[in-house]
Structures are given as C-alpha cells and as structure tokens.
Amino acid sequence: MARAQSRYVCQSCGASVVRWEGQCRTCGEWNTLVETVVRDAPRPRTNSAAGGGAPVPLSHAGEGDAEVRRPTGIGELDRVLGGGLVAGSVVLLGGEPGIGKSTLLLQVAAGVATTGAIVLYATGEESTTQVRLRASRLGLTGGAVADAIRVVAETGVGRITDLARAERPGLLVVDSVQTVASEELDGPPGSVGQVRESTLRLMELAKAEDVPVILAGHVTKDGTLAGPKTLEHLVDVVLSIEGDRTGGLRLLRAAKNRYGSTEEVGVFEMGDRGLAEVADPARAFLADHESPAPGSVVAPVLEGSRPLLVEVQALVAPTSFPSPRRTASGIDPNRLALLIAVLGRRAGIGLGSHDVYANLAGGLSVSEPGLDLPLALALASSLRDRPLVPGTVAIGEVGLLGELRGVGGLDRRLREAARLGFTRAIVPRAGRTAPVPGIELMVVASLADAIRAALPDPVEGRRGGA
Ligand code: TYD
Ligand code: MG
C-alpha cells in the first residue's frame, strides 16, 4: 500500500491507484505503474531556469541572467561540459560500476574546492571513511581543499536538500542517485519512483539555490541508466564514462547537454592517483605493435571536433560451429554483419564459414560510418593473413553495392594522422581530397579497389617497386 502522499501512476495512460499492480487496470499495459508523490497543490510547472511568468520577445529572453559557469579544474571534463558547470544545472554522470564515477566526482569536488567554494558530497554507497581513504589515495587530503569538501553519508533526499540549503555549497555531489530516496514514497531506493522523485527534488534545489548538482548513476549491462529513462529527460546534462575497465583508458561523453554540444569527448587514464587527463588523446587508442599485424587497420575517426586515431582489430578463423560466430566490441554488430555480407558478394572475401571477431583497441566504442572501410580491410587482412603496409590509415563508409562514400572533416583527420607519423591513407573518391603534407593519398572507388590498394598482390607489389 502506498503512503498517504503517494499513488501508483500508470506511465502509459495516467490512471492512478493506491496499490502497486503488475498490469494497469485502465489501459492494460504491464509494468507501467510508478510510485509518485501526490501533493495538495500541484508542483509548479515553471522553474527559474525556464523563466516562467509573462511571455517576452525572444530577443530579450533571459536578459540579465548571464550564464554562470564554474570550471571544475579538470580540463577534459570542462571541455565536455562546454566550459564548466552551469549554476543551477543538474548533471547525471552515468557509467558501469567500477568505471571511475566516484573517483571523478571526488576529483571534481577537489577542483571546485580549490576555487574557494564549499562542496557538499553526499555518499549513499560508501561510508565517509571510504571516501576519505579514496581522497588520500588521490592525494586530496590535508589542507584547505579537504576542509572545503563536506562529506555526509546520507540517503534521504530531504535531508540532503536541507543540508545544501544550510551549507550553500558551490557544488552538491550525490553518489549515487540509486541510493537516495524520499521519505514520502514507499518504494525502495533505486526504484523508478524513488529515483525520479529524488531527482526532481534535487532539481528544485539546484534551480532555487543556483547550486550545480552532479548525480552519479549506475548503468546496466545493456548500456541504459538503471532506473527510469525519464531521468535523462529531467536533468540538464547527461554524461557517461566508458572504457575497458581492465585497461586504463576512459572516455567521457555527453549524451545530452542543454548548455553545449554533445560532440566533445574527454579522454582520461585511470592511474594510481585517479583519473588523469591524457596528454595526447589522438594517439591514446593506438595499440603498440612490434611489427605490423594482420587484421589491424588504423582509422582516423572524429569525435566531435577531436580527431582520434583508433586501431580496428579483426580476427577471422575457420569455424567449428554450425553457424559461425560474429562478435563485435566497440563496433555496431549490425554493421559488422553487413560488411561481412558486402565483402562476400562484392569483393570476393567470403567469410561464410569463418568465425569473426572485431573490436577497437583500448575499449573505445565508435559509431561513425567512416569505420566501415577500416573494419572491412581489417577483415580482409586477417583472412589473407597479411598486414597492411606500415603507416597506412583508412576511412570511409561502405555501401551495399560495395561502393564507398566519403566522410566529413577528411582534411582534419589526415593532418592528425600525418602528425602521428602515418604516411599513406586509403580514402573514397567521393568528396574533396586536397593533398595533405606527408600523406600519400590512395583514392579508391569501391571496396574491391580498396582491398587491392591495401593488400596488393605480392607479385604485383614487387613489380610496382614497393
Ligand atoms: P570508482 O570511482 O569507485 O568507480 P564507480 O564509482 O564508477 O563504481 O573506481 C573504481 C576503480 O578505480 C577501482 O576498481 C579502483 C580504481 N582506481 C584506480 O585505479 N586508481 C585510483 O586512484 C582510484 C581512486 C581508483
Ligand atoms: Mg562509486
């Protein structure tokens, strides 16, 4: 039974009942009832960030309230946020358990504390002792900074907001949103109703007191934020940390940003003193090889405005299963399946009786279409067991007919490749290809051409004097 102040509201039709049921009696949908606080007076629908009040001409909208940004002291994070934390904003930081959310949050807390502000750090997952031990690992204890970070082991959202109103911090950190709960609801912490109500309460606080709030949120195996998807609509910024937990590299992305672009990525390395910014992100995801390896192709991808050189790795091996395995990590599996089909039909690379494994080095995941060509070349290289000529990069989208399409920002990608010592680039004919100093362009029209350019027939290669 719900508390006096709460009802179970169907997310599909809006019907409300007193007791939780698996199926909504009104519309018949399953698992749509979410515990929700009911108030005598409905929650005001306007907030200070939205402005409220009378309509104003767009040209004068928001005049006078300059956007106040507070740098976090972590350059890569500020880059992703679009220049720092905006006063009154709510940021959700998602990531798998153990990826480094709490570490980053503590480093952010220290960064903000360095500017002289108080930081309130509410921990629901760890004890204050654990937080202090982590801080000392990070070298953050002692001195004024550590004093300016106020840690409290608290999971009641009401008490957290009361504390924040009293302390008036420059930043409120809540680790994690799945551990906080409102006294007004019956459901356990982490339930859809609790997570949403807690987030709403923290948003009210953020907007009313102009305090930026960062919430840590766990991400489930399938990559979605545990708890309601609606959380992503409520908050102002959704960040995610990803990476290979066993490797050191971490990528920070914005899935949503009301105050900036969602294009920029931040690159970090997890070391024994926490997350460090990577000095040269463009090369961070390249694997080191003694000698060129079959199945490895380097691709100059663009993450926002930042070119990254990533290594696509493929392994094909004769299968011993009735239906061959296709395993992709960091790469869209549908794209892999499509490329296998195109390779077979349009380029004479039959993989129908081979298991195929493909991944990106460094635990990166990339969704841009330009990764098609390097992936296809990596598959061909692995099947033939021959490496590409050292110093080669490839980029381009592959169509169903085996034709190639150009990618945006080719110039920027190739300049970065040249800077990192690459000398040859296999690129689609489509699109403008101005010469890039230091890079020999191999312009190809089809996937079959690209394979011939990447893996020249040994005899032909010799005749060509290579
Ligand atoms: P944590 O921030 O606790 O992850 P999350 O909050 O996302 O669950 O980080 C967990 C991992 O990071 C842990 O396995 C240990 C590692 N780590 C380091 O390698 N170096 C460090 O300095 C710290 C603090 C953690
Ligand atoms: Mg944590």
Side-chain angles (χ1 to χ4, degrees):
M1 179 90 97
R3 308 247 167 132
Q5 316 92 310
S6 82
R7 292 287 180 278
Y8 290 89
V9 178
C10 174
Q11 301 302 291
S12 178
C13 70
S16 99
V17 290
V18 172
R19 194 187 303 270
W20 186 83
E21 287 165 33
Q23 186 182 25
C24 173
R25 290 185 191 202
T26 310
C27 70
E29 290 287 326
W30 287 90
N31 294 322
T32 54
L33 294 181
V34 170
E35 194 184 16
T36 309
V37 175
V38 285
R39 291 182 170 83
D40 299 336
R43 190 191 295 280
R45 296 308 299 170
T46 55
N47 60 42
S48 61
V56 293
L58 181 58
S59 52
H60 298 288
E63 263 179 1
D65 28 287
E67 192 179 81
V68 186
R69 284 189 186 264
R70 184 186 283 283
T72 63
I74 301 173
E76 291 288 289
L77 174 62
D78 288 339
R79 174 193 175 96
V80 175
L81 288 170
L85 286 166
V86 175
S89 68
V90 177
V91 178
L92 180 64
L93 174 66
E96 285 177 26
I99 199 78
K101 296 181 294 297
S102 302
T103 306
L104 183 62
L105 290 180
L106 200 53
Q107 289 179 266
V108 172
V112 170
T114 312
T115 66
I118 297 265
V119 177
L120 183 59
Y121 192 110
T123 167
E125 308 214 322
E126 292 159 308
S127 66
T128 52
T129 313
Q130 282 170 310
V131 176
R132 178 172 54 82
L133 290 176
R134 174 179 291 119
S136 63
R137 275 191 72 180
L138 298 173
L140 302 175
T141 41
V145 170
D147 290 339
I149 303 177
R150 309 277 159 82
V151 191
V152 57
E154 180 58 73
T155 56
V157 70
R159 285 185 296 275
I160 293 173
T161 51
D162 286 349
L163 279 172
R165 287 199 172 88
E167 300 257 348
R168 303 205 47 95
L171 169 67
L172 168 64
V173 173
V174 177
D175 188 1
S176 67
V177 70
Q178 277 102 354
T179 55
V180 289
S182 160
E183 312 73 20
E184 292 171 282
L185 297 181
D186 248 357
S191 62
V192 176
Q194 285 289 14
V195 168
R196 199 169 65 178
E197 175 63 19
S198 302
T199 304
L200 284 168
R201 297 272 294 271
L202 291 165
M203 287 189 64
E204 280 175 359
L205 169 88
K207 308 296 175 205
E209 308 288 320
D210 252 1
V211 182
V213 177
I214 311 184
L215 311 170
H218 293 299
V219 162
T220 51
K221 271 272 170 283
D222 63 358
T224 55
L225 278 160
K229 210 51 186 153
T230 50
L231 213 57
E232 296 190 11
H233 303 295
L234 294 179
V235 300
D236 301 304
V237 181
V238 179
L239 302 181
S240 68
I241 318 187
E242 54 191 68
D244 180 0
R245 233 183 317 159
T246 50
L249 287 167
R250 300 286 185 274
L251 210 69
L252 186 72
R253 289 181 202 272
K256 163 179 176 177
N257 190 351
R258 284 193 181 140
Y259 311 105
S261 126
T262 54
E263 298 268 87
E264 300 306 328
V265 298
V267 183
F268 294 93
E269 188 156 18
M270 180 67 91
D272 48 11
R273 301 205 93 196
L275 290 162
E277 301 175 50
V278 170
D280 191 355
R283 74 165 87 233
F285 293 92
L286 286 178
D288 292 323
H289 297 295
E290 294 284 291
S291 55
S296 151
V297 176
V298 173
V301 301
L302 264 191
E303 286 287 348
S305 61
R306 172 178 273 173
L308 294 179
L309 276 287
V310 306
E311 185 184 325
V312 184
Q313 300 182 335
L315 177 67
V316 306
T319 188
S320 48
F321 302 101
S323 62
R325 305 187 59 154
R326 276 82 180 85
T327 307
S329 133
I331 299 167
D332 178 5
N334 295 321
R335 236 29 229 179
L336 175 63
L338 184 137
L339 288 173
I340 291 171
V342 175
L343 278 167
R345 292 303 304 274
R346 307 285 168 215
I349 303 284
L351 295 169
S353 52
H354 286 77
D355 292 335
V356 173
Y357 304 89
N359 73 277
L360 300 183
L364 191 66
S365 60
V366 171
S367 56
E368 78 156 275
L371 212 60
D372 286 353
L373 179 59
L375 177 54
L377 293 178
L379 294 166
S381 158
S382 177
L383 182 73
R384 298 204 178 153
D385 202 24
R386 281 177 26 221
L388 267 65
V389 175
T392 305
V393 296
I395 191 84
E397 186 179 346
V398 175
L400 288 182
L401 309 177
E403 83 282 18
L404 299 181
R405 286 184 219 124
V407 292
L410 188 62
D411 206 56
R412 197 139 30 105
R413 300 172 195 249
L414 295 185
R415 278 175 201 285
E416 196 66 8
R419 181 177 76 79
L420 295 180
F422 291 88
T423 53
R424 275 163 37 111
I426 303 175
V427 297
R429 176 166 294 153
R432 264 180 306 135
T433 37
V436 174
I439 295 271
E440 180 198 346
L441 280 184
M442 314 189 69
V443 181
V444 290
S446 68
L447 184 53
D449 281 355
I451 293 171
R452 275 191 290 276
L455 303 164
D457 185 66
V459 181
E460 241 176 73
R462 239 177 282 134
R463 236 187 274 139

